[in-house]
Amino acid sequence: MISQIKIENFQRIDKEIQIDLAPLTVLVGENGAGKSSILKALHWSIRCATLSDANEKVTLEQMDYVPSKEFLELGHKLKLQNSSAGRHTTVTLVNEEFENTKISIRGSRNDAGVHVKIDGPLKTILTNDTSPSTAFIPGLSGLAEEETILAIPVMHRKASSGEGGSALRQIILQYSEQAGGTGNDYRELEDLSLWVGKVLPGVQFWVKFDRLRDRNIDVRFLTPDMKVPGQGYRVAWKSIEMAGTGFLQVVQIFAYLLYFKPRLLLVDEPDAHLHPTSQQALIRALSDATEEFPETQIVVSTHSPNLVRALPQDARIHWISAGVAKAEGTLVREKMGWSALDKELIIFSEDGNSKYIDSILSTRREIQNRCLIWPTFGKDSLPNGSKAKQIAKRMGVKILIHRDRDFMSNEDVVAWSETKAYHTCDVEYWVPSGSDIESLFVDVNHIRLSLGVSSAIAQEIHDEALSSFDETHIRTTFTHAYQSAVSKLPTIDGRDAVSRWMVLGGFTEETIKGKEFLKAVKKACGSVLPKHGLGQYMNRLKKIGQSDDNNPVASDLLDLLSRILDD
């Protein structure tokens, strides 16, 4: 069993990165973080060590797997050098006795290949040339239309290349122990059906290759939804090349596992083409596989929170960022569960629809990229100060609370924040200046800039929207909203709907919910714009509900977020 791997100077990885392994290990991180670099470094170094000649050299033509034909550029930033003291890639595998097996790869003279040196107790196992000790599965872009029988060494080289689509049928045939052929009929692949069926329930597989009559290997599959009532399976089954990409990658994973039983099964982003339910089923199946095949350790890279949520507790999980192992364990599981990996701040928003707050953040990408918006679908579901503080501490992030104003005064807002203990727990909050976040998108100037019309036309649109409301209905709606907002606050003079209505000026834009006023503004555009010969501007309506660099909204929110992030 390999307990730890160390990698230095390979693609995204500069200084040595150390990853502790379990039977099942998962790597998470954003695009370009270095997850795939880890898998490729392991596979490439071990394959080079296996294929090296008596002089410890491998040419490009001899490499069955290489991440790039510009292989000397695989070092981090600088080329691999051919001197023993120069820059080279190192991959170290540590066994359970804490003994190191080190693979060192450097350039060879005239850039003709690489010089590979491997030393340590795992050397014999890792460089076994009868069967690859690593299997790398980067995903299938498609399957070759035809596959004929290959000599075993050739098939192994094709499989090791990472281009599984050119050898998958051959591997399936070999694993089925029918290398000499199946005769003139199909043989059912019960083991493959069992393992793939853990992810895609009810699937069945068959293989056929008659050495006397067939040129190509034929693999067939059948899923429950393909079956025809009252008909045999041969009526409905299909050739394997007709399966989808996600389906084929699952087949490849378990075909490689069943045939090669490699020491390291390296699976790169298997979630990319799978439904979330299947993602979870896959990681559970891989966990089962580590028990059935105890000599095989599985390393998976993923972006999927769904996959991580289903990860068993005895599996290891590492967060990779900028070529560095940033964290592991419970913290990573929780951040992935929240989809908050690589985020520094969580905005708990009472709005179920986060498109408006996301639009506001989009005007400052450096802020947006660091924030996660988490809808709570109502103000009553917002975390209180104590809960927010616990989340911030446990997940290593900062917290901002967003709730709508609901016509409250600034004094009301402060009183509400005290009931939630935000001040005492040092939790920041933001309340828009209008009734809700949508109210920020309906002032005359925003309408003018969004549509590219004159101030007079924008004012006309605004006034027509206002006139479309019934004052009695608006006052009833206002009263209900305000009373609900302050119902749990201390009773003081002026904290009542009648007084607040008067302070806001009665029946005005200020006493209408922004959500409703925004709809009315868009409707008013339908009559005002054509009247002025601007009917073609109707295609700009969506801009009224958006913030952009030329027409920004809620600069106070952006400034607050900037301050919190920089503290």
Side-chain angles (χ1 to χ4, degrees):
M1 183 72 73
I2 300 168
S3 63
Q4 186 184 71
I5 56 173
K6 305 174 187 178
I7 300 169
E8 182 177 357
N9 188 37
F10 183 85
Q11 291 192 321
R12 192 68 176 90
I13 301 165
D14 183 10
K15 296 180 181 179
E16 183 179 87
I17 184 173
Q18 298 183 7
I19 303 293
D20 292 331
L21 297 188
L24 176 60
T25 304
V26 170
L27 309 176
V28 299
E30 63 183 359
N31 289 328
K35 307 183 302 297
S36 297
S37 295
I38 293 170
L39 303 184
K40 291 175 182 178
L42 285 168
H43 190 53
W44 184 56
S45 63
I46 292 173
R47 292 307 301 156
C48 284
T50 302
L51 296 169
S52 61
D53 60 21
N55 295 316
E56 300 180 329
K57 293 181 179 180
V58 186
T59 65
L60 175 61
E61 291 73 22
Q62 292 169 335
M63 295 179 195
D64 53 23
Y65 170 75
V66 61
S68 170
K69 289 186 178 180
E70 301 294 331
F71 55 90
L72 294 180
E73 303 288 346
L74 290 172
H76 180 78
K77 294 186 178 179
L78 299 177
K79 292 177 64 172
L80 298 179
Q81 298 171 330
N82 61 22
S83 66
S84 58
R87 286 179 62 86
H88 51 274
T89 292
T90 60
V91 175
T92 304
L93 302 102
V94 184
N95 64 17
E96 292 178 296
E97 286 72 41
F98 306 104
E99 299 170 317
N100 291 343
T101 298
K102 184 176 181 179
I103 305 172
S104 178
I105 302 178
R106 58 182 173 86
S108 63
R109 291 182 180 179
N110 301 319
D111 295 346
V114 294
H115 184 279
V116 187
K117 187 174 183 60
I118 178 170
D119 285 307
L122 295 176
K123 176 179 179 179
T124 302
I125 294 173
L126 294 176
T127 59
N128 176 9
D129 60 1
T130 61
S131 179
S133 57
T134 60
F136 178 47
I137 303 176
L140 291 175
S141 57
L143 201 63
E145 290 186 8
E146 296 178 345
E147 263 182 73
T148 191
I149 200 78
L150 298 171
I152 296 299
V154 176
M155 186 267 286
H156 284 184
R157 287 177 61 82
K158 279 185 171 287
S160 296
S161 72
E163 298 294 333
S166 63
L168 182 58
R169 296 182 188 86
Q170 172 91 14
I171 291 168
I172 290 173
L173 179 65
Q174 292 291 337
Y175 122 77
S176 70
E177 298 181 346
Q178 302 296 332
T182 63
N184 200 32
D185 201 0
Y186 288 85
R187 301 286 180 89
E188 185 171 0
L189 305 170
E190 294 181 356
D191 285 348
L192 186 63
S193 300
L194 170 67
W195 284 101
V196 177
K198 288 175 178 282
V199 184
L200 306 167
V203 69
Q204 294 173 272
F205 295 92
W206 295 263
V207 64
K208 176 179 176 291
F209 180 74
D210 186 335
R211 293 183 63 89
L212 293 177
R213 301 173 180 86
D214 293 336
R215 291 182 55 195
N216 300 310
I217 303 166
D218 189 16
V219 177
R220 299 272 168 163
F221 76 99
L222 179 70
T223 61
D225 62 298
M226 291 165 57
K227 294 180 180 179
V228 179
Q231 300 291 326
Y233 60 84
R234 297 191 182 216
V235 173
W237 66 7
K238 295 184 183 299
S239 184
I240 190 73
E241 66 265 19
M242 298 181 69
T245 303
F247 183 101
L248 287 172
Q249 189 171 16
V250 175
V251 174
Q252 185 187 10
I253 289 169
F254 290 107
Y256 276 46
L257 177 63
L258 288 165
Y259 176 64
F260 290 118
K261 299 180 180 62
R263 291 285 175 163
L264 288 172
L265 180 65
L266 310 170
V267 187
D268 197 12
E269 298 186 9
D271 51 280
H273 301 284
L274 289 177
H275 184 275
T277 301
S278 298
Q279 294 172 11
Q280 294 185 335
L282 174 60
I283 202 65
R284 294 188 184 105
L286 291 175
S287 178
D288 291 345
T290 61
E291 296 182 9
E292 185 72 18
F293 304 93
E295 294 298 314
T296 296
Q297 291 176 263
I298 302 174
V299 185
V300 180
S301 73
T302 184
H303 291 283
S304 171
N306 298 295
L307 187 149
V308 171
R309 290 189 191 105
L311 196 63
Q313 287 301 312
D314 58 354
R316 284 192 176 274
I317 182 168
H318 296 269
W319 174 11
I320 310 301
S321 178
V324 175
K326 194 167 184 178
E328 65 174 305
T330 302
L331 171 64
V332 185
R333 289 173 185 264
E334 291 190 356
K335 295 196 79 164
M336 279 295 290
W338 284 74
S339 300
L341 203 66
D342 299 313
K343 302 300 181 184
E344 299 173 42
L345 187 149
I346 299 177
I347 302 172
F348 286 100
S349 173
E350 72 159 84
D351 278 352
N353 185 349
S354 61
K355 71 176 183 179
Y356 295 107
I357 196 166
D358 193 51
S359 177
I360 292 169
L361 300 188
S362 69
T363 61
R364 294 197 200 172
R365 294 293 184 184
E366 75 279 5
I367 291 177
Q368 184 182 39
N369 293 338
R370 298 162 70 185
C371 295
L372 168 71
I373 303 170
W374 191 270
T376 65
F377 301 93
K379 64 181 184 295
D380 293 333
S381 299
L382 291 168
N384 60 28
S386 176
K387 183 66 174 177
K389 189 173 182 178
Q390 290 175 12
I391 294 171
K393 182 177 180 181
R394 187 172 70 243
M395 296 183 61
V397 296
K398 298 174 181 180
I399 301 291
L400 177 72
I401 306 294
H402 155 242
R403 74 152 289 171
D404 287 339
R405 182 172 287 270
D406 295 321
F407 311 111
M408 291 189 295
S409 67
N410 288 339
E411 186 179 13
D412 295 334
V413 171
V414 171
W416 163 77
S417 71
E418 290 173 349
T419 66
K420 303 290 282 188
Y422 292 142
H423 287 293
T424 56
C425 293
D426 295 322
V427 175
E428 298 278 5
Y429 62 90
W430 175 76
V431 177
S433 56
S435 60
D436 51 26
I437 198 166
E438 289 86 348
S439 68
L440 305 178
F441 296 87
V442 297
D443 67 80
V444 173
N445 193 52
H446 183 78
I447 295 170
R448 177 181 69 84
L449 292 172
S450 297
L451 297 176
V453 299
S454 66
S455 296
I457 293 176
Q459 186 67 57
E460 186 177 347
I461 292 170
H462 180 278
D463 292 346
E464 182 162 324
L466 180 60
S467 67
S468 69
F469 290 98
D470 175 73
E471 181 174 351
T472 301
H473 173 72
I474 289 301
R475 185 155 190 171
T476 301
T477 303
F478 169 88
T479 299
H480 175 77
Y482 182 72
Q483 288 178 341
S484 175
V486 301
S487 62
K488 297 180 182 179
L489 304 183
T491 301
I492 61 173
D493 289 342
R495 188 169 283 164
D496 61 86
V498 174
S499 300
R500 187 63 183 152
W501 174 269
M502 297 302 293
V503 168
L504 290 175
F507 178 54
T508 69
E509 173 195 330
E510 300 297 324
T511 53
I512 301 173
K513 288 185 175 181
K515 293 177 178 64
E516 299 304 319
F517 205 96
L518 182 57
K519 293 177 185 177
V521 165
K522 292 182 177 181
K523 185 175 181 181
C525 288
S527 59
V528 174
L529 291 176
K531 185 168 64 176
H532 292 278
L534 300 173
Q536 71 273 21
Y537 285 18
M538 289 295 291
N539 62 5
R540 303 179 183 180
L541 282 189
K542 65 179 182 180
K543 292 186 177 181
I544 296 178
Q546 296 176 349
S547 180
D548 60 45
D549 294 338
N550 298 319
N551 190 14
V553 169
S555 58
D556 61 325
L557 170 60
L558 295 170
D559 291 342
L560 176 59
L561 288 169
S562 179
R563 177 176 62 79
I564 296 171
L565 287 167
D566 292 341
D567 276 349

